[in-house]
Structure formats: C-alpha cells, structure tokens
Amino acid sequence: MTTPDGPDAAFRPTHVVPPDGLPAWEGPDTTRPTTALDAFLPVRLLSRSGEWGEVLCANGWSAWVDGRLLVAVPQPPPTGGRPVAPAEDPGPLLSAAAEALDRYRRAVRDLAGDPADTGAFREAVRGLRAGIVIDGGSAWLYDAAAERWTYADGSRLAPYAVDSGPGTPPAPQPQDSGPAPGAGAARAPHEPTRVVDPPPPEPGGR
C-alpha cells in the first residue's frame, strides 16, 4: 500500500488507540460520526486541529478522533544529536502542579491579610487550573495545556480522561506551516471516511 513516506515504506504508527477504543468522525465535526476505532489499534497521526487529531490506519483508512486520548508510541531519539527527554515523564506535570499550588497558596495568604481585596485575589488566580491525586504509587495529574487527566505509575505517564469530548472549532491552519505532526515530508492520497448508503432493493425483492 502507499503510505505518507512513499509506496515502499512500511506503515509506522505514531500512536495507538487507548484500551477503551475511540469514537471516530469523518471530519473535525461531531455531527459526522463514522466507525469507531478498536482498542490498541496502531495509527499514524497526520495532523491536529485543536482537540481533534486526524489519524491514518495501516489499511489506508483515515478518520478524525479526540487527539488528546491517543497514546504515543515511543520513538527512537534522533541521530546526530542529544536524545530528547521522554514525553511520558510525569516530572513536568508534577512540577507544574506544585507551582500552581504555590501560586494559589500565596493568593489565599494575601487574601487572609486583606479580606476586602477580593479583586486582587481573583486576578492572582485568573486562569489557574491544577489537579493531582496521589494514592500510593499511583497518581492522577491534570494536564492543563491538553485539558486532560493523565495517569502515572511513577515512571510512565499515559492519557486517562479528558474534560469533554472534541468540539472546539478548528483553528485556521497556515498554508506554509510544513508537514503536520506525525506526517512524512509528503502526504500521499488515502481513503477518507465516508457514509455509504445501502443499494436499493432489486425488482422482485431479490
């Protein structure tokens, strides 16, 4: 089959579908549902549009899903350079949660010193969102940038749940932004999702 890397390249997934599967749509529009994707199905992320992700399956079939729930497949570090930090490291989210908690603690302390200055309190915590639940070796961390909860077992981080389903209007995509995340240097044609009406019955009921 033809893939985004050329007709002779093997299909290389960038993500897999989470254990519960994923609803899918023909486009970044919740009014256009199509066949759901099976659990653990390998897919290649072609592009993102807000909360949406366009994925390509090994058989050439594409669909749009909630890109926040896709589970990334580990990729080897780039050659000729310093290896990048693993994307599933829970450390950055733990640090962000600690910083948000410290910011909220300072705002509460300032409000306690001047209870009448509620305006300053609201301004100090404007846009602040954080969440963390720790139960022994398990932790649930809120990723405010991706608007989703993640699960960590101490060494790995995986998507867990999102605030809501996809539906944010797609952001305009620049024409010269280069290849989308997960896509090759050139996009080969692939079969889009579509709704197929059943053929009319033949005369005589056959």
Side-chain angles (χ1 to χ4, degrees):
M1 62 166 288
T2 300
T3 72
D5 288 329
D8 298 323
F11 178 78
R12 290 193 295 260
T14 60
H15 295 74
V16 296
V17 174
D20 293 333
L22 275 182
W25 292 267
E26 295 180 68
D29 182 352
T30 55
T31 64
R32 301 165 60 192
T34 187
T35 305
L37 301 186
D38 294 334
F40 303 114
L41 178 71
V43 297
R44 181 160 193 169
L45 182 64
L46 298 178
S47 63
R48 286 190 181 274
S49 183
E51 302 159 344
W52 296 93
E54 182 189 14
V55 296
L56 177 68
C57 303
N59 62 0
W61 188 79
S62 70
W64 289 82
V65 299
D66 190 335
R68 299 170 295 177
L69 289 176
L70 292 170
V71 181
V73 174
Q75 302 293 327
T79 58
R82 197 170 65 183
V84 297
E88 66 270 11
D89 179 12
L93 284 187
L94 287 168
S95 297
E99 292 170 4
L101 178 60
D102 189 53
R103 176 179 158 189
Y104 190 81
R105 183 189 296 116
R106 291 196 304 268
V108 169
R109 182 188 58 209
D110 293 345
L111 182 61
D114 186 2
D117 196 2
T118 57
F121 173 77
R122 286 194 297 270
E123 185 62 30
V125 298
R126 185 185 304 276
L128 185 63
R129 303 184 77 187
I132 180 170
V133 177
I134 298 177
D135 183 12
S138 298
W140 290 264
L141 308 172
Y142 185 68
D143 184 346
E147 297 185 341
R148 68 181 181 183
W149 283 89
T150 58
Y151 172 76
D153 61 5
S155 61
R156 294 181 59 83
L157 194 68
Y160 181 74
V162 294
D163 284 349
S164 59
T168 299
Q173 299 294 318
Q175 298 299 316
D176 56 350
S177 59
R187 289 272 298 276
H190 55 270
E191 183 73 12
T193 59
R194 61 186 185 276
V195 176
V196 179
D197 295 326
E202 296 182 6
R206 293 180 296 170

